[in-house]
Amino acid sequence: MSVPCVRVEREAGEQARASLAELDIVDDAHEIVVEDGWLYVPVTDADAVPATYDVVHREMPERETQTMPADLLDFSPSYERLGDIAIVDEDDPERAQALADALMESAIPVKSVLNRASKIQGTERVRDWEVLAGTETEAVHREYGCSFALDLATVYFSPRLATERHRVVEQVREGEHVFDMFAGVGPFVVPAAKRGAAAVGVDINDDAIEYLRENAERNDVTERVTAICGDVRAVADEYEGWAERLVMNLPHSADEFLDTAVALAGEECVIHYYDIQHEDDPYGPGERAIREAATPDYDVTVETRHTVRSYAPHELNVVLDVRLSRN
């Protein structure tokens, strides 16, 4: 029987599966299939699949009986995977623990279950976690051919942004100068270096920088990666006019760093500027701030206006791809 499936590159399979599971549209009655470098995830409702994914129809084998979390619960579970850690977001303690127990008892290979216990907070952008099962908060996450070691207790990382990161990295050219101003554990820096770029990552969180260095080694790009711990405003002088591509993924306050971004920019530079704004005008504030910071030294051209995801009621996480050309 032909069933609708999301088709993605194999390396992006876990992220796609997690995103579709969050929408509760993964078809658990059929197996996930890998074929010719593609991964096919069966879905229950093709119309509910986000437009960023390709949907195809094909024959899929029926799933052999396996115990899944939903089989053990009297509610529909929601969770995401980061390596062999399961992440849940439950306010009710009894429901959270029941979900954790079901995950550990199910056929899903997880070693720990963590519940979000706070929002992202502080300059180092970490959150508190409640460990519901297991003991580990460290994991190895894989996306688009790269692997990233990280500890959720000490660094910021969002597996939900894998598709967006890949969109940006695919634009990187061999030999290009890429500068990530808020680099974390390197999810932009490392794949950019794998494409042959010289990549610099700066972060104020020393744990994140240690993982960035480890991840550069893990992915065999150490020679093309420079990792710097500190406030990017304090280290920018060394790279003045160097960058041909800048990543500014600090959506609540990236505008505070635009003067630094302009100082880092070379003769031609593309800035990937992430922002969170009201849905009535999601791109205008960021575009106006960039033009104010870059004019009159640069001509400013907005190449892409893109909504990454919904962030909160009536608020959107967006990105502007902006080209600066020196006058």
Side-chain angles (χ1 to χ4, degrees), residues 81-247:
R81 294 268 304 282
L82 184 70
D84 48 12
I85 290 178
I87 299 171
V88 303
D89 191 4
E90 293 287 348
D91 294 329
D92 184 294
E94 292 185 4
R95 181 182 168 105
Q97 193 59 57
L99 176 51
D101 293 343
L103 282 161
M104 296 296 285
E105 189 178 339
S106 74
I108 297 173
V110 295
K111 65 181 180 183
S112 296
V113 181
L114 308 183
N115 190 22
R116 292 183 175 93
S118 76
K119 294 182 177 181
I120 297 167
Q121 53 197 357
T123 57
E124 297 188 350
R125 298 184 295 161
V126 296
R127 70 166 86 236
D128 296 328
W129 297 92
E130 179 187 8
V131 181
L132 298 172
T135 59
E136 293 290 329
T137 57
E138 187 177 48
V140 176
H141 170 72
R142 295 175 177 82
E143 67 182 45
Y144 292 99
C146 294
S147 62
F148 302 96
L150 59 114
D151 188 340
L152 284 170
T154 62
V155 304
Y156 169 78
F157 189 87
S158 175
R160 298 178 183 179
L161 298 178
T163 300
E164 171 58 21
R165 289 190 284 264
H166 186 59
R167 183 191 72 84
V168 170
V169 169
E170 280 198 310
Q171 301 175 43
V172 173
R173 307 181 310 275
E174 184 174 357
E176 189 174 80
H177 290 177
V178 177
F179 196 111
D180 189 341
M181 297 173 65
F182 319 103
V185 302
F188 285 102
V189 170
V190 168
K194 286 196 77 168
R195 289 180 65 88
V200 175
V202 179
D203 201 283
I204 202 166
N205 183 334
D206 56 356
D207 289 311
I209 289 298
E210 285 303 310
Y211 276 114
L212 172 50
R213 292 175 179 140
E214 177 183 338
N215 292 330
E217 184 175 357
R218 177 184 291 272
N219 292 277
D220 298 320
V221 293
T222 302
E223 293 183 357
R224 292 192 294 276
V225 169
T226 301
I228 302 171
C229 184
D231 188 317
V232 68
R233 291 169 291 199
V235 303
D237 286 351
E238 185 178 350
Y239 288 91
E240 184 175 352
W242 182 84
E244 296 170 301
R245 188 175 304 276
L246 283 163
V247 179

Side-chain angles (χ1 to χ4, degrees), residues 308-320:
V308 178
R309 58 177 174 167
S310 176
Y311 181 75
H314 307 295
E315 287 191 321
L316 300 175
N317 181 192
V318 300
V319 60
L320 292 165

